Amino acid sequence: MSTRKSFGLWTLSAILALLLAGCSTGLRSQTPTPVATSEEGPVISQAELEEIIAGISQKYGVPAMAAAVVTDQGLQQAAAVGVRKWGDPTRVTLDDSWPIGSDTKIMTSALASILVDQGKLSWDSTVSDMFPDIAASIDPGFKSVTLLQLLSHRAGLPQSRGELVELHSASIQDQRVAAARMALSQEPTNPPGTATQYSNVGYVIAGAMIERATGMDWERAIEQDLFSPLGMASAGFGGLGTIGMVDQPWGHHQSGPPVVCCNGPAAANNPLWVGPAGTVHCTIQDWAKFIADQLRGARGEPAFLSPQAYTKLLTNYGGHYSLGWALYEGTWAGGVSYGHNGSNGIYYASAWMVPNLNYAVMVAANAGGRYTADAVEEALEQVFERIMVPILSEKPIVSNLEYGVLWT
């Protein structure tokens, strides 16, 4: 097992002290999974994948987890284990959705690339160009900040400037422009283009630019141009489930014993205007559709986006960050691999893509906090070790996803 390092900025510092009771039986989903196979059969069986994440969820006290393995041929396997809500026996299924937090950023960048190819945006579009109505309030240091700099975290913006904007009576587009005005009216933390600094508000501003280019909310634009063409019917935004009902996985804090937070709209744990930075939820299979397409594009194979779009999305712009992906190099991966994680504090999700080995793995959990981060990371490691045993003698190490930090 690899030595674990920090995943980034965390506000939930208390570690879960009590393991879940009563989750050791009835863990396995009964929903059948469509599996891509070859003459050699699936790369991993559903029973094997369930065994891995069931063991991890019990070890770390995570109420439920889901995982999927994809290749360029699409979904290879998916599994879901555990309970939707601490203290309730209702099990998760493969029909359930999972908030993926900051993994949304990869999708926002993909949407931007579509609009660039359509001629509605340019990677060099500036905030002054796109927001003439607030141009007078933009600090001189930000006036030439581009869409590319926002999406690569090189705009000179901090982690979450603008997080106190509360304009519930305004439209979602107006809320995002208000967040942009607040963030861009202050001096950059460093000259734009000179350093990589992870910023959620940068993605909110990029989302507002997308709205100006399309004339529609970011949510509608990404549904129309990305989710629908990829067949991601379950994709949605914000909180999960019907208030008071256990019809989707509930979010859980981890501070002492697991504490149930909530469900329904409150489970978003972020205002909806944060959307482009991290409010998407979907089933593990629909997330796999998007990641499989990214994998095909990374391998130079025919895929949904244009070849030049994948090149742009996967380039290292500095600080080992592309447009929504963190980049890593290792001999086990045969070169560059791509990872990201995300959390809103009460859910956690992570994806890892290894183009040269033609694999990607996704894991999601219905709890937040450092303990869940460790659980998801260990699940990723174990799945990669299982599926790549025939390929590699060297054990893969897929730890230390540094960039998927929760909105604070």
Side-chain angles (χ1 to χ4, degrees):
M1 193 59 60
S2 61
T3 301
R4 306 195 187 284
K5 300 179 182 179
S6 172
F7 271 60
L9 306 175
W10 294 95
T11 57
L12 303 174
S13 59
I15 294 178
L16 177 65
L18 299 177
L19 293 178
L20 283 172
C23 291
S24 59
T25 59
L27 285 169
R28 294 184 176 179
S29 166
Q30 296 177 337
T31 306
T33 306
V35 178
T37 61
S38 65
E39 292 181 0
E40 293 77 25
V43 295
I44 185 171
S45 71
Q46 187 174 44
E48 290 171 313
L49 191 56
E50 286 175 341
E51 182 180 8
I52 289 172
I53 59 175
I56 295 294
S57 66
Q58 292 175 44
K59 174 181 177 180
Y60 286 91
V62 178
M65 299 179 77
V69 178
V70 302
T71 69
D72 60 356
Q73 299 302 302
L75 181 68
Q76 292 288 312
Q77 199 55 266
V81 303
V83 295
R84 288 174 174 169
K85 177 185 176 184
W86 169 251
D88 186 283
T90 308
R91 293 176 292 172
V92 293
T93 76
L94 285 171
D95 295 322
D96 287 352
S97 288
W98 305 85
I100 62 171
S102 288
D103 293 289
T104 299
K105 291 180 172 67
I106 309 166
M107 298 173 175
T108 296
S109 295
L111 174 60
S113 76
I114 293 170
L115 299 176
V116 169
D117 282 348
Q118 293 174 349
K120 296 178 180 178
L121 268 177
S122 165
W123 295 116
D124 296 324
S125 296
T126 68
V127 292
S128 296
D129 295 334
M130 301 304 295
F131 305 115
D133 47 327
I134 65 169
S137 66
I138 296 176
D139 183 88
F142 279 127
K143 286 188 180 292
S144 297
V145 160
T146 67
L147 176 66
L148 184 67
Q149 290 172 330
L150 291 165
L151 295 175
S152 59
H153 297 299
R154 294 181 67 81
L157 287 161
Q159 161 73 4
S160 56
R161 183 184 290 173
E163 72 274 21
L164 299 180
V165 174
E166 294 291 346
L167 296 173
H168 298 301
S169 61
S171 71
I172 193 70
Q173 293 187 39
D174 287 343
Q175 291 178 48
R176 288 174 182 143
V177 172
R181 181 188 296 111
M182 177 180 290
L184 297 172
S185 66
Q186 304 175 52
E187 292 184 3
T189 55
N190 48 67
T194 63
T196 301
Q197 184 167 333
Y198 191 90
S199 176
N200 285 299
V201 72
Y203 267 74
V204 174
I205 297 170
M209 293 174 75
I210 288 170
E211 291 175 335
R212 288 292 171 94
T214 61
M216 64 180 76
D217 295 351
W218 165 85
E219 287 85 351
R220 303 292 78 76
I222 202 167
E223 284 179 338
Q224 172 184 289
D225 288 346
L226 189 66
F227 295 161
S228 180
L230 290 177
M232 299 173 61
S234 69
F237 313 94
L240 286 175
T242 307
I243 294 176
M245 296 180 64
V246 190
D247 53 355
Q248 286 286 345
W250 284 45
H252 297 75
H253 290 296
Q254 288 189 344
S255 179
V259 178
V260 171
C261 166
C262 44
N263 76 327
N269 216 32
N270 281 315
L272 286 177
W273 59 263
V274 176
T279 65
V280 167
H281 59 72
C282 57
T283 64
I284 198 78
Q285 299 99 311
D286 276 354
W287 190 17
K289 293 175 183 177
F290 175 77
I291 297 298
D293 182 78
Q294 290 281 299
L295 183 61
R296 285 188 286 270
R299 288 171 57 80
E301 299 170 356
F304 174 61
L305 306 177
S306 67
Q308 59 267 28
Y310 295 105
T311 298
K312 205 74 176 180
L313 291 174
L314 299 171
T315 294
N316 185 351
Y317 294 98
H320 301 285
Y321 204 92
S322 61
L323 303 185
W325 287 104
L327 283 67
Y328 303 87
E329 289 196 43
T331 55
W332 72 272
V336 178
S337 60
Y338 302 82
H340 211 286
N341 54 39
S343 175
N344 64 0
I346 55 177
Y347 296 89
Y348 195 95
S350 187
W352 201 287
M353 179 174 73
V354 190
N356 287 333
L357 299 179
N358 195 19
Y359 286 119
V361 178
M362 293 133 281
V363 179
N366 63 337
R370 176 69 218 206
Y371 226 51
T372 304
D374 288 343
V376 169
E377 177 188 341
E378 187 169 329
L380 280 168
E381 288 187 2
Q382 289 194 19
V383 174
F384 267 110
E385 287 168 3
R386 166 62 185 81
I387 64 179
M388 294 196 297
V389 166
I391 300 176
L392 298 176
S393 58
E394 175 189 352
K395 254 191 173 182
I397 298 175
V398 296
S399 60
N400 195 24
L401 285 176
E402 299 171 349
Y403 289 99
V405 293
L406 50 110
W407 185 273
T408 57

